[in-house]
Short mmCIF file of all heavy atoms in Angstrom, two decimals:
data_model
loop_
_atom_site.label_atom_id
_atom_site.label_comp_id
_atom_site.label_asym_id
_atom_site.label_seq_id
_atom_site.Cartn_x
_atom_site.Cartn_y
_atom_site.Cartn_z
N MET D 1 -14.66 -69.89 49.80
CA MET D 1 -14.69 -68.96 50.91
C MET D 1 -15.79 -67.94 50.71
O MET D 1 -16.01 -67.45 49.61
CB MET D 1 -13.34 -68.24 51.00
CG MET D 1 -13.36 -67.29 52.14
SD MET D 1 -12.19 -65.99 52.10
CE MET D 1 -13.03 -64.89 53.16
N LYS D 2 -16.47 -67.62 51.77
CA LYS D 2 -17.52 -66.61 51.74
C LYS D 2 -16.91 -65.23 51.94
O LYS D 2 -15.88 -65.08 52.61
CB LYS D 2 -18.55 -66.88 52.82
CG LYS D 2 -19.32 -68.15 52.61
CD LYS D 2 -20.35 -68.33 53.69
CE LYS D 2 -21.11 -69.62 53.47
NZ LYS D 2 -22.12 -69.84 54.48
N ILE D 3 -17.56 -64.23 51.38
CA ILE D 3 -17.12 -62.85 51.58
C ILE D 3 -17.44 -62.46 53.02
O ILE D 3 -18.57 -62.62 53.47
CB ILE D 3 -17.84 -61.91 50.60
CG1 ILE D 3 -17.44 -62.25 49.16
CG2 ILE D 3 -17.52 -60.46 50.92
CD1 ILE D 3 -18.24 -61.52 48.11
N PRO D 4 -16.44 -61.93 53.75
CA PRO D 4 -16.68 -61.50 55.13
C PRO D 4 -17.38 -60.14 55.16
O PRO D 4 -16.73 -59.10 55.34
CB PRO D 4 -15.28 -61.46 55.74
CG PRO D 4 -14.39 -61.18 54.57
CD PRO D 4 -15.04 -61.82 53.38
N TRP D 5 -18.68 -60.13 54.95
CA TRP D 5 -19.44 -58.88 54.84
C TRP D 5 -19.29 -57.99 56.06
O TRP D 5 -19.39 -56.76 55.95
CB TRP D 5 -20.91 -59.18 54.57
CG TRP D 5 -21.12 -59.78 53.21
CD1 TRP D 5 -21.40 -61.08 52.92
CD2 TRP D 5 -21.04 -59.10 51.95
NE1 TRP D 5 -21.50 -61.26 51.55
CE2 TRP D 5 -21.28 -60.05 50.94
CE3 TRP D 5 -20.78 -57.79 51.58
CZ2 TRP D 5 -21.29 -59.74 49.59
CZ3 TRP D 5 -20.77 -57.47 50.23
CH2 TRP D 5 -21.03 -58.44 49.25
N HIS D 6 -19.02 -58.57 57.23
CA HIS D 6 -18.87 -57.77 58.44
C HIS D 6 -17.61 -56.89 58.39
O HIS D 6 -17.47 -55.98 59.20
CB HIS D 6 -18.84 -58.67 59.68
CG HIS D 6 -17.67 -59.59 59.75
ND1 HIS D 6 -17.58 -60.75 58.99
CD2 HIS D 6 -16.54 -59.51 60.47
CE1 HIS D 6 -16.43 -61.33 59.26
NE2 HIS D 6 -15.78 -60.61 60.15
N LYS D 7 -16.72 -57.14 57.43
CA LYS D 7 -15.50 -56.34 57.28
C LYS D 7 -15.65 -55.27 56.20
O LYS D 7 -14.69 -54.60 55.85
CB LYS D 7 -14.31 -57.24 56.97
CG LYS D 7 -13.97 -58.17 58.12
CD LYS D 7 -12.75 -58.98 57.81
CE LYS D 7 -12.41 -59.87 59.01
NZ LYS D 7 -11.17 -60.60 58.79
N ILE D 8 -16.86 -55.13 55.65
CA ILE D 8 -17.11 -54.16 54.59
C ILE D 8 -18.13 -53.15 55.09
O ILE D 8 -19.20 -53.51 55.56
CB ILE D 8 -17.64 -54.87 53.32
CG1 ILE D 8 -16.58 -55.84 52.79
CG2 ILE D 8 -18.03 -53.84 52.26
CD1 ILE D 8 -17.08 -56.76 51.69
N LYS D 9 -17.77 -51.88 55.00
CA LYS D 9 -18.66 -50.79 55.40
C LYS D 9 -19.13 -50.08 54.13
O LYS D 9 -18.33 -49.44 53.44
CB LYS D 9 -17.95 -49.79 56.32
CG LYS D 9 -17.40 -50.40 57.58
CD LYS D 9 -18.51 -50.94 58.47
CE LYS D 9 -17.92 -51.49 59.76
NZ LYS D 9 -18.58 -52.63 60.28
N LYS D 10 -20.41 -50.20 53.82
CA LYS D 10 -20.96 -49.60 52.61
C LYS D 10 -21.32 -48.14 52.86
O LYS D 10 -21.91 -47.80 53.87
CB LYS D 10 -22.19 -50.37 52.16
CG LYS D 10 -21.88 -51.76 51.66
CD LYS D 10 -23.13 -52.44 51.14
CE LYS D 10 -22.81 -53.83 50.63
NZ LYS D 10 -24.03 -54.49 50.09
N THR D 11 -20.95 -47.30 51.89
CA THR D 11 -21.37 -45.90 51.87
C THR D 11 -22.34 -45.76 50.70
O THR D 11 -22.70 -46.76 50.07
CB THR D 11 -20.17 -44.95 51.69
OG1 THR D 11 -19.64 -45.10 50.37
CG2 THR D 11 -19.08 -45.21 52.72
N LYS D 12 -22.73 -44.55 50.37
CA LYS D 12 -23.63 -44.35 49.23
C LYS D 12 -23.00 -44.82 47.93
O LYS D 12 -23.70 -45.17 46.99
CB LYS D 12 -24.04 -42.88 49.12
CG LYS D 12 -24.97 -42.44 50.22
CD LYS D 12 -25.39 -41.01 50.04
CE LYS D 12 -26.33 -40.61 51.17
NZ LYS D 12 -26.78 -39.23 51.02
N THR D 13 -21.68 -44.81 47.86
CA THR D 13 -21.01 -45.20 46.61
C THR D 13 -20.05 -46.37 46.81
O THR D 13 -20.15 -47.36 46.10
CB THR D 13 -20.23 -44.01 46.01
OG1 THR D 13 -19.32 -43.52 46.98
CG2 THR D 13 -21.17 -42.91 45.56
N CYS D 14 -19.12 -46.24 47.73
CA CYS D 14 -18.06 -47.25 47.89
C CYS D 14 -18.42 -48.30 48.95
O CYS D 14 -19.21 -48.04 49.85
CB CYS D 14 -16.75 -46.58 48.27
SG CYS D 14 -16.01 -45.61 46.93
N TRP D 15 -17.80 -49.45 48.80
CA TRP D 15 -17.84 -50.50 49.82
C TRP D 15 -16.44 -50.56 50.40
O TRP D 15 -15.55 -51.16 49.81
CB TRP D 15 -18.18 -51.85 49.21
CG TRP D 15 -19.51 -51.97 48.54
CD1 TRP D 15 -20.45 -51.00 48.35
CD2 TRP D 15 -20.03 -53.16 47.94
NE1 TRP D 15 -21.52 -51.51 47.68
CE2 TRP D 15 -21.30 -52.84 47.42
CE3 TRP D 15 -19.55 -54.45 47.80
CZ2 TRP D 15 -22.08 -53.78 46.75
CZ3 TRP D 15 -20.34 -55.38 47.15
CH2 TRP D 15 -21.60 -55.04 46.64
N ASN D 16 -16.21 -49.91 51.52
CA ASN D 16 -14.86 -49.79 52.08
C ASN D 16 -14.49 -50.99 52.93
O ASN D 16 -15.23 -51.39 53.82
CB ASN D 16 -14.75 -48.52 52.92
CG ASN D 16 -14.82 -47.29 52.06
OD1 ASN D 16 -14.16 -47.21 51.03
ND2 ASN D 16 -15.63 -46.33 52.45
N TRP D 17 -13.33 -51.54 52.64
CA TRP D 17 -12.77 -52.64 53.44
C TRP D 17 -12.39 -52.06 54.78
O TRP D 17 -11.59 -51.12 54.87
CB TRP D 17 -11.56 -53.24 52.73
CG TRP D 17 -11.03 -54.45 53.43
CD1 TRP D 17 -9.88 -54.52 54.16
CD2 TRP D 17 -11.61 -55.75 53.46
NE1 TRP D 17 -9.73 -55.79 54.65
CE2 TRP D 17 -10.78 -56.56 54.23
CE3 TRP D 17 -12.76 -56.30 52.91
CZ2 TRP D 17 -11.07 -57.90 54.46
CZ3 TRP D 17 -13.03 -57.63 53.14
CH2 TRP D 17 -12.18 -58.41 53.91
N ASP D 18 -12.96 -52.60 55.84
CA ASP D 18 -12.78 -52.05 57.19
C ASP D 18 -12.02 -53.04 58.07
O ASP D 18 -12.46 -53.38 59.16
CB ASP D 18 -14.15 -51.73 57.80
CG ASP D 18 -14.05 -50.85 59.02
OD1 ASP D 18 -13.14 -50.00 59.07
OD2 ASP D 18 -14.88 -51.02 59.94
N SER D 19 -10.91 -53.50 57.55
CA SER D 19 -10.07 -54.45 58.28
C SER D 19 -8.63 -54.19 57.88
O SER D 19 -8.27 -53.06 57.55
CB SER D 19 -10.54 -55.88 57.96
OG SER D 19 -9.90 -56.81 58.82
N TRP D 20 -7.84 -55.22 57.86
CA TRP D 20 -6.42 -55.14 57.59
C TRP D 20 -6.13 -54.46 56.25
O TRP D 20 -6.69 -54.81 55.23
CB TRP D 20 -5.87 -56.55 57.60
CG TRP D 20 -4.40 -56.73 57.43
CD1 TRP D 20 -3.44 -55.80 57.47
CD2 TRP D 20 -3.76 -57.97 57.19
NE1 TRP D 20 -2.21 -56.37 57.28
CE2 TRP D 20 -2.38 -57.72 57.11
CE3 TRP D 20 -4.19 -59.28 57.05
CZ2 TRP D 20 -1.45 -58.72 56.87
CZ3 TRP D 20 -3.26 -60.26 56.82
CH2 TRP D 20 -1.91 -59.97 56.74
N LEU D 21 -5.21 -53.47 56.27
CA LEU D 21 -4.79 -52.75 55.06
C LEU D 21 -3.29 -52.86 54.89
O LEU D 21 -2.54 -52.85 55.87
CB LEU D 21 -5.16 -51.27 55.15
CG LEU D 21 -6.63 -50.89 55.31
CD1 LEU D 21 -6.77 -49.38 55.51
CD2 LEU D 21 -7.44 -51.34 54.11
N THR D 22 -2.86 -52.93 53.66
CA THR D 22 -1.45 -52.85 53.31
C THR D 22 -1.33 -51.90 52.13
O THR D 22 -1.97 -52.12 51.10
CB THR D 22 -0.87 -54.24 52.93
OG1 THR D 22 -0.99 -55.11 54.05
CG2 THR D 22 0.59 -54.15 52.52
N ASN D 23 -0.54 -50.85 52.30
CA ASN D 23 -0.39 -49.82 51.27
C ASN D 23 -1.73 -49.26 50.83
O ASN D 23 -1.92 -48.92 49.67
CB ASN D 23 0.39 -50.36 50.06
CG ASN D 23 1.81 -50.72 50.41
OD1 ASN D 23 2.44 -50.08 51.24
ND2 ASN D 23 2.32 -51.77 49.79
N GLY D 24 -2.68 -49.19 51.74
CA GLY D 24 -3.99 -48.64 51.46
C GLY D 24 -5.00 -49.63 50.91
O GLY D 24 -6.18 -49.31 50.82
N TYR D 25 -4.57 -50.82 50.52
CA TYR D 25 -5.46 -51.83 49.96
C TYR D 25 -5.90 -52.81 51.05
O TYR D 25 -5.11 -53.18 51.91
CB TYR D 25 -4.76 -52.65 48.86
CG TYR D 25 -4.45 -51.86 47.62
CD1 TYR D 25 -3.19 -51.29 47.44
CD2 TYR D 25 -5.40 -51.70 46.63
CE1 TYR D 25 -2.90 -50.58 46.29
CE2 TYR D 25 -5.11 -50.98 45.48
CZ TYR D 25 -3.86 -50.42 45.31
OH TYR D 25 -3.57 -49.72 44.18
N GLY D 26 -7.16 -53.24 50.97
CA GLY D 26 -7.65 -54.24 51.90
C GLY D 26 -6.96 -55.57 51.67
O GLY D 26 -6.65 -55.94 50.53
N VAL D 27 -6.72 -56.27 52.77
CA VAL D 27 -6.06 -57.59 52.71
C VAL D 27 -6.94 -58.60 53.43
O VAL D 27 -7.48 -58.32 54.50
CB VAL D 27 -4.66 -57.54 53.37
CG1 VAL D 27 -4.01 -58.92 53.37
CG2 VAL D 27 -3.77 -56.54 52.66
N ILE D 28 -7.07 -59.77 52.82
CA ILE D 28 -7.82 -60.86 53.42
C ILE D 28 -6.92 -62.09 53.44
O ILE D 28 -6.13 -62.30 52.52
CB ILE D 28 -9.12 -61.12 52.63
CG1 ILE D 28 -10.01 -62.12 53.34
CG2 ILE D 28 -8.85 -61.53 51.21
CD1 ILE D 28 -11.40 -62.21 52.77
N GLU D 29 -7.00 -62.84 54.52
CA GLU D 29 -6.19 -64.05 54.64
C GLU D 29 -7.09 -65.28 54.47
O GLU D 29 -8.12 -65.40 55.12
CB GLU D 29 -5.49 -64.10 55.99
CG GLU D 29 -4.45 -65.19 56.07
CD GLU D 29 -3.56 -65.08 57.29
OE1 GLU D 29 -3.18 -63.95 57.64
OE2 GLU D 29 -3.26 -66.12 57.88
N ILE D 30 -6.68 -66.15 53.56
CA ILE D 30 -7.42 -67.39 53.28
C ILE D 30 -6.44 -68.55 53.39
O ILE D 30 -5.46 -68.61 52.64
CB ILE D 30 -8.05 -67.36 51.87
CG1 ILE D 30 -8.97 -66.15 51.71
CG2 ILE D 30 -8.79 -68.66 51.59
CD1 ILE D 30 -9.43 -65.89 50.30
N LYS D 31 -6.70 -69.43 54.35
CA LYS D 31 -5.85 -70.61 54.57
C LYS D 31 -4.38 -70.23 54.67
O LYS D 31 -3.51 -70.86 54.08
CB LYS D 31 -6.06 -71.64 53.47
CG LYS D 31 -7.47 -72.20 53.43
CD LYS D 31 -7.63 -73.25 52.36
CE LYS D 31 -9.06 -73.76 52.35
NZ LYS D 31 -9.29 -74.77 51.34
N GLY D 32 -4.10 -69.16 55.41
CA GLY D 32 -2.72 -68.75 55.67
C GLY D 32 -2.07 -67.94 54.57
O GLY D 32 -0.93 -67.52 54.70
N LYS D 33 -2.77 -67.69 53.46
CA LYS D 33 -2.22 -66.90 52.37
C LYS D 33 -2.98 -65.59 52.26
O LYS D 33 -4.20 -65.55 52.43
CB LYS D 33 -2.31 -67.67 51.05
CG LYS D 33 -1.57 -67.01 49.93
CD LYS D 33 -1.44 -67.90 48.72
CE LYS D 33 -0.69 -67.13 47.64
NZ LYS D 33 -0.60 -67.84 46.39
N ARG D 34 -2.25 -64.50 51.99
CA ARG D 34 -2.85 -63.17 51.93
C ARG D 34 -3.20 -62.79 50.49
O ARG D 34 -2.43 -63.03 49.57
CB ARG D 34 -1.89 -62.14 52.50
CG ARG D 34 -1.62 -62.39 53.96
CD ARG D 34 -0.57 -61.46 54.49
NE ARG D 34 -0.23 -61.87 55.84
CZ ARG D 34 0.90 -61.59 56.43
NH1 ARG D 34 1.81 -60.87 55.80
NH2 ARG D 34 1.12 -62.00 57.65
N TYR D 35 -4.37 -62.16 50.36
CA TYR D 35 -4.86 -61.70 49.06
C TYR D 35 -5.40 -60.29 49.20
O TYR D 35 -5.84 -59.89 50.27
CB TYR D 35 -6.00 -62.60 48.56
CG TYR D 35 -5.63 -64.04 48.38
CD1 TYR D 35 -5.77 -64.95 49.43
CD2 TYR D 35 -5.14 -64.50 47.17
CE1 TYR D 35 -5.43 -66.28 49.28
CE2 TYR D 35 -4.80 -65.84 47.00
CZ TYR D 35 -4.94 -66.72 48.05
OH TYR D 35 -4.61 -68.04 47.89
N ARG D 36 -5.43 -59.55 48.11
CA ARG D 36 -6.06 -58.24 48.10
C ARG D 36 -7.57 -58.44 48.14
O ARG D 36 -8.13 -59.20 47.34
CB ARG D 36 -5.67 -57.44 46.86
CG ARG D 36 -4.19 -57.09 46.79
CD ARG D 36 -3.90 -55.84 47.61
NE ARG D 36 -2.51 -55.61 47.84
CZ ARG D 36 -1.79 -54.72 47.17
NH1 ARG D 36 -2.31 -54.00 46.21
NH2 ARG D 36 -0.52 -54.55 47.48
N ALA D 37 -8.23 -57.78 49.07
CA ALA D 37 -9.66 -57.98 49.29
C ALA D 37 -10.48 -57.64 48.05
O ALA D 37 -11.45 -58.34 47.73
CB ALA D 37 -10.13 -57.14 50.48
N HIS D 38 -10.11 -56.59 47.33
CA HIS D 38 -10.89 -56.21 46.15
C HIS D 38 -10.85 -57.29 45.07
O HIS D 38 -11.83 -57.51 44.37
CB HIS D 38 -10.45 -54.84 45.60
CG HIS D 38 -9.06 -54.78 45.09
ND1 HIS D 38 -7.97 -54.65 45.93
CD2 HIS D 38 -8.57 -54.82 43.83
CE1 HIS D 38 -6.86 -54.60 45.19
NE2 HIS D 38 -7.21 -54.71 43.91
N ARG D 39 -9.73 -57.99 44.97
CA ARG D 39 -9.62 -59.07 43.98
C ARG D 39 -10.50 -60.26 44.37
O ARG D 39 -11.16 -60.86 43.52
CB ARG D 39 -8.17 -59.49 43.81
CG ARG D 39 -7.30 -58.40 43.20
CD ARG D 39 -5.85 -58.84 43.05
NE ARG D 39 -5.72 -59.96 42.16
CZ ARG D 39 -5.55 -59.88 40.83
NH1 ARG D 39 -5.51 -58.69 40.25
NH2 ARG D 39 -5.43 -60.95 40.08
N VAL D 40 -10.52 -60.59 45.66
CA VAL D 40 -11.34 -61.71 46.15
C VAL D 40 -12.82 -61.40 45.92
O VAL D 40 -13.56 -62.24 45.39
CB VAL D 40 -11.05 -61.99 47.64
CG1 VAL D 40 -12.04 -63.00 48.20
CG2 VAL D 40 -9.62 -62.48 47.83
N VAL D 41 -13.24 -60.20 46.30
CA VAL D 41 -14.65 -59.83 46.13
C VAL D 41 -15.02 -59.81 44.64
O VAL D 41 -16.07 -60.32 44.25
CB VAL D 41 -14.96 -58.48 46.81
CG1 VAL D 41 -16.35 -58.00 46.47
CG2 VAL D 41 -14.77 -58.58 48.31
N TYR D 42 -14.15 -59.25 43.81
CA TYR D 42 -14.43 -59.21 42.37
C TYR D 42 -14.63 -60.62 41.82
O TYR D 42 -15.60 -60.89 41.11
CB TYR D 42 -13.29 -58.51 41.63
CG TYR D 42 -13.55 -58.34 40.15
CD1 TYR D 42 -14.17 -57.20 39.67
CD2 TYR D 42 -13.20 -59.33 39.23
CE1 TYR D 42 -14.43 -57.05 38.31
CE2 TYR D 42 -13.46 -59.19 37.88
CZ TYR D 42 -14.08 -58.04 37.43
OH TYR D 42 -14.34 -57.90 36.08
N GLU D 43 -13.73 -61.53 42.16
CA GLU D 43 -13.83 -62.89 41.63
C GLU D 43 -15.06 -63.62 42.17
O GLU D 43 -15.65 -64.42 41.45
CB GLU D 43 -12.55 -63.67 41.90
CG GLU D 43 -11.41 -63.16 41.03
CD GLU D 43 -10.23 -64.11 40.92
OE1 GLU D 43 -10.07 -64.99 41.78
OE2 GLU D 43 -9.48 -63.96 39.94
N LYS D 44 -15.46 -63.35 43.41
CA LYS D 44 -16.65 -64.00 43.97
C LYS D 44 -17.93 -63.46 43.34
O LYS D 44 -18.87 -64.22 43.11
CB LYS D 44 -16.71 -63.80 45.49
CG LYS D 44 -15.67 -64.57 46.24
CD LYS D 44 -16.01 -66.04 46.22
CE LYS D 44 -15.02 -66.82 47.06
NZ LYS D 44 -15.24 -68.25 46.96
N LEU D 45 -18.01 -62.16 43.08
CA LEU D 45 -19.24 -61.55 42.61
C LEU D 45 -19.33 -61.35 41.10
O LEU D 45 -20.43 -61.28 40.56
CB LEU D 45 -19.47 -60.21 43.32
CG LEU D 45 -19.60 -60.26 44.84
CD1 LEU D 45 -19.82 -58.87 45.40
CD2 LEU D 45 -20.73 -61.19 45.26
N VAL D 46 -18.19 -61.25 40.42
CA VAL D 46 -18.18 -60.98 38.98
C VAL D 46 -17.65 -62.17 38.19
O VAL D 46 -18.30 -62.65 37.28
CB VAL D 46 -17.36 -59.71 38.65
CG1 VAL D 46 -17.31 -59.46 37.16
CG2 VAL D 46 -17.92 -58.52 39.39
N GLY D 47 -16.46 -62.63 38.55
CA GLY D 47 -15.85 -63.74 37.83
C GLY D 47 -14.34 -63.64 37.87
O GLY D 47 -13.76 -62.73 38.44
N LYS D 48 -13.71 -64.60 37.21
CA LYS D 48 -12.25 -64.69 37.20
C LYS D 48 -11.63 -63.45 36.57
O LYS D 48 -12.12 -62.94 35.57
CB LYS D 48 -11.82 -65.93 36.44
CG LYS D 48 -10.33 -66.17 36.45
CD LYS D 48 -9.99 -67.53 35.88
CE LYS D 48 -8.53 -67.81 35.70
NZ LYS D 48 -7.54 -66.92 36.18
N ILE D 49 -10.54 -62.99 37.16
CA ILE D 49 -9.76 -61.90 36.60
C ILE D 49 -8.87 -62.50 35.53
O ILE D 49 -8.13 -63.44 35.80
CB ILE D 49 -8.93 -61.20 37.69
CG1 ILE D 49 -9.85 -60.63 38.78
CG2 ILE D 49 -8.04 -60.11 37.08
CD1 ILE D 49 -9.13 -60.19 40.04
N PRO D 50 -8.93 -61.98 34.30
CA PRO D 50 -8.10 -62.54 33.23
C PRO D 50 -6.61 -62.49 33.59
O PRO D 50 -6.15 -61.53 34.21
CB PRO D 50 -8.40 -61.63 32.03
CG PRO D 50 -9.76 -61.07 32.32
CD PRO D 50 -9.80 -60.92 33.82
N ASP D 51 -5.90 -63.56 33.22
CA ASP D 51 -4.46 -63.64 33.49
C ASP D 51 -3.73 -62.42 32.96
O ASP D 51 -4.01 -61.95 31.85
CB ASP D 51 -3.87 -64.90 32.85
CG ASP D 51 -4.34 -66.18 33.54
OD1 ASP D 51 -4.78 -66.10 34.71
OD2 ASP D 51 -4.25 -67.25 32.91
N GLY D 52 -2.82 -61.90 33.78
CA GLY D 52 -1.99 -60.78 33.38
C GLY D 52 -2.62 -59.42 33.59
O GLY D 52 -1.97 -58.40 33.35
N LEU D 53 -3.89 -59.38 34.03
CA LEU D 53 -4.54 -58.08 34.24
C LEU D 53 -4.62 -57.75 35.72
O LEU D 53 -4.74 -58.63 36.56
CB LEU D 53 -5.95 -58.08 33.65
CG LEU D 53 -6.06 -58.18 32.14
CD1 LEU D 53 -7.51 -58.07 31.70
CD2 LEU D 53 -5.22 -57.11 31.45
N GLU D 54 -4.57 -56.47 36.01
CA GLU D 54 -4.77 -55.96 37.35
C GLU D 54 -6.18 -55.40 37.42
O GLU D 54 -6.83 -55.20 36.40
CB GLU D 54 -3.76 -54.85 37.65
CG GLU D 54 -2.33 -55.34 37.69
CD GLU D 54 -1.35 -54.24 38.04
OE1 GLU D 54 -1.79 -53.09 38.25
OE2 GLU D 54 -0.16 -54.54 38.10
N ILE D 55 -6.64 -55.13 38.63
CA ILE D 55 -7.95 -54.53 38.82
C ILE D 55 -7.75 -53.03 39.08
O ILE D 55 -6.98 -52.63 39.95
CB ILE D 55 -8.69 -55.18 40.02
CG1 ILE D 55 -9.04 -56.62 39.70
CG2 ILE D 55 -9.94 -54.39 40.38
CD1 ILE D 55 -10.09 -56.79 38.63
N ASP D 56 -8.46 -52.22 38.30
CA ASP D 56 -8.42 -50.77 38.44
C ASP D 56 -9.60 -50.33 39.29
O ASP D 56 -10.73 -50.78 39.07
CB ASP D 56 -8.49 -50.12 37.06
CG ASP D 56 -8.39 -48.61 37.10
OD1 ASP D 56 -7.75 -48.08 38.03
OD2 ASP D 56 -8.94 -47.96 36.20
N HIS D 57 -9.33 -49.46 40.26
CA HIS D 57 -10.40 -48.86 41.08
C HIS D 57 -10.88 -47.61 40.35
O HIS D 57 -10.21 -46.58 40.37
CB HIS D 57 -9.87 -48.48 42.46
CG HIS D 57 -9.57 -49.64 43.34
ND1 HIS D 57 -8.41 -50.37 43.26
CD2 HIS D 57 -10.31 -50.21 44.32
CE1 HIS D 57 -8.44 -51.33 44.16
NE2 HIS D 57 -9.58 -51.27 44.81
N LEU D 58 -12.03 -47.68 39.72
CA LEU D 58 -12.56 -46.54 38.98
C LEU D 58 -12.85 -45.35 39.89
O LEU D 58 -12.83 -44.21 39.44
CB LEU D 58 -13.82 -46.96 38.22
CG LEU D 58 -13.63 -48.10 37.22
CD1 LEU D 58 -14.96 -48.51 36.62
CD2 LEU D 58 -12.63 -47.72 36.14
N CYS D 59 -13.10 -45.62 41.17
CA CYS D 59 -13.38 -44.58 42.15
C CYS D 59 -12.11 -44.00 42.78
O CYS D 59 -12.18 -43.08 43.60
CB CYS D 59 -14.28 -45.13 43.25
SG CYS D 59 -13.57 -46.54 44.13
N SER D 60 -10.96 -44.57 42.46
CA SER D 60 -9.65 -44.15 43.00
C SER D 60 -9.54 -44.37 44.51
O SER D 60 -8.70 -43.76 45.16
CB SER D 60 -9.34 -42.69 42.67
OG SER D 60 -9.28 -42.52 41.26
N ASN D 61 -10.37 -45.24 45.06
CA ASN D 61 -10.36 -45.55 46.49
C ASN D 61 -9.81 -46.97 46.66
O ASN D 61 -10.51 -47.94 46.37
CB ASN D 61 -11.78 -45.44 47.06
CG ASN D 61 -11.89 -45.82 48.51
OD1 ASN D 61 -10.92 -46.16 49.17
ND2 ASN D 61 -13.11 -45.77 49.02
N LYS D 62 -8.58 -47.08 47.14
CA LYS D 62 -7.93 -48.38 47.28
C LYS D 62 -8.66 -49.34 48.22
O LYS D 62 -8.53 -50.54 48.09
CB LYS D 62 -6.49 -48.21 47.77
CG LYS D 62 -5.58 -47.50 46.82
CD LYS D 62 -4.21 -47.36 47.44
CE LYS D 62 -3.25 -46.61 46.58
NZ LYS D 62 -1.94 -46.50 47.21
N ARG D 63 -9.41 -48.81 49.17
CA ARG D 63 -10.13 -49.65 50.15
C ARG D 63 -11.44 -50.20 49.58
O ARG D 63 -12.04 -51.09 50.14
CB ARG D 63 -10.45 -48.84 51.40
CG ARG D 63 -9.23 -48.47 52.20
CD ARG D 63 -9.57 -47.62 53.38
NE ARG D 63 -10.53 -48.31 54.24
CZ ARG D 63 -11.21 -47.73 55.20
NH1 ARG D 63 -11.06 -46.44 55.45
NH2 ARG D 63 -12.05 -48.43 55.95
N CYS D 64 -11.90 -49.64 48.46
CA CYS D 64 -13.19 -50.00 47.90
C CYS D 64 -13.17 -51.40 47.29
O CYS D 64 -12.27 -51.75 46.53
CB CYS D 64 -13.62 -48.98 46.85
SG CYS D 64 -15.28 -49.28 46.21
N VAL D 65 -14.20 -52.20 47.64
CA VAL D 65 -14.35 -53.54 47.07
C VAL D 65 -15.67 -53.66 46.30
O VAL D 65 -16.09 -54.76 45.96
CB VAL D 65 -14.25 -54.64 48.16
CG1 VAL D 65 -12.88 -54.63 48.81
CG2 VAL D 65 -15.35 -54.49 49.22
N ASN D 66 -16.32 -52.53 46.00
CA ASN D 66 -17.56 -52.54 45.24
C ASN D 66 -17.24 -52.98 43.82
O ASN D 66 -16.50 -52.32 43.10
CB ASN D 66 -18.16 -51.13 45.23
CG ASN D 66 -19.49 -51.04 44.51
OD1 ASN D 66 -19.86 -51.93 43.75
ND2 ASN D 66 -20.22 -49.99 44.77
N PRO D 67 -17.80 -54.12 43.37
CA PRO D 67 -17.46 -54.63 42.05
C PRO D 67 -17.84 -53.67 40.91
O PRO D 67 -17.24 -53.73 39.84
CB PRO D 67 -18.22 -55.96 41.95
CG PRO D 67 -19.25 -55.91 43.00
CD PRO D 67 -18.74 -54.99 44.08
N LYS D 68 -18.80 -52.77 41.16
CA LYS D 68 -19.16 -51.78 40.14
C LYS D 68 -18.06 -50.73 39.95
O LYS D 68 -18.04 -50.03 38.96
CB LYS D 68 -20.48 -51.09 40.49
CG LYS D 68 -21.67 -52.03 40.42
CD LYS D 68 -22.94 -51.29 40.76
CE LYS D 68 -24.13 -52.26 40.67
NZ LYS D 68 -25.38 -51.59 41.03
N HIS D 69 -17.15 -50.66 40.92
CA HIS D 69 -16.03 -49.70 40.86
C HIS D 69 -14.73 -50.37 40.42
O HIS D 69 -13.69 -49.70 40.37
CB HIS D 69 -15.81 -49.06 42.23
CG HIS D 69 -16.95 -48.22 42.68
ND1 HIS D 69 -16.89 -47.47 43.83
CD2 HIS D 69 -18.20 -48.01 42.17
CE1 HIS D 69 -18.04 -46.82 44.01
NE2 HIS D 69 -18.84 -47.15 43.01
N LEU D 70 -14.78 -51.64 40.13
CA LEU D 70 -13.57 -52.40 39.80
C LEU D 70 -13.62 -52.88 38.36
O LEU D 70 -14.65 -53.36 37.89
CB LEU D 70 -13.43 -53.61 40.74
CG LEU D 70 -13.45 -53.29 42.24
CD1 LEU D 70 -13.46 -54.58 43.04
CD2 LEU D 70 -12.28 -52.41 42.62
N GLU D 71 -12.47 -52.72 37.68
CA GLU D 71 -12.42 -53.09 36.26
C GLU D 71 -11.05 -53.69 35.94
O GLU D 71 -10.03 -53.12 36.30
CB GLU D 71 -12.65 -51.82 35.44
CG GLU D 71 -12.49 -51.98 33.97
CD GLU D 71 -12.73 -50.66 33.26
OE1 GLU D 71 -11.76 -49.89 33.13
OE2 GLU D 71 -13.87 -50.42 32.86
N PRO D 72 -11.06 -54.84 35.26
CA PRO D 72 -9.75 -55.42 34.86
C PRO D 72 -9.08 -54.57 33.79
O PRO D 72 -9.73 -53.94 33.01
CB PRO D 72 -10.12 -56.79 34.29
CG PRO D 72 -11.53 -57.05 34.62
CD PRO D 72 -12.16 -55.72 34.93
#
């Protein structure tokens, strides 16, 4: 799946998910299944998230999908 760049609004620092949100986090639907947008973008641009780890938003912005702000 390609990253839906049209749903991301870049600011000087954050890449804000500008679509469906749940509990403040961006949500993306792929083949009928829902995923957190920041996790999808991280895996597409950086690599696999190690099993058992969550992604921390270093910027404290739940909508942000900028991989430079995301850390397992």
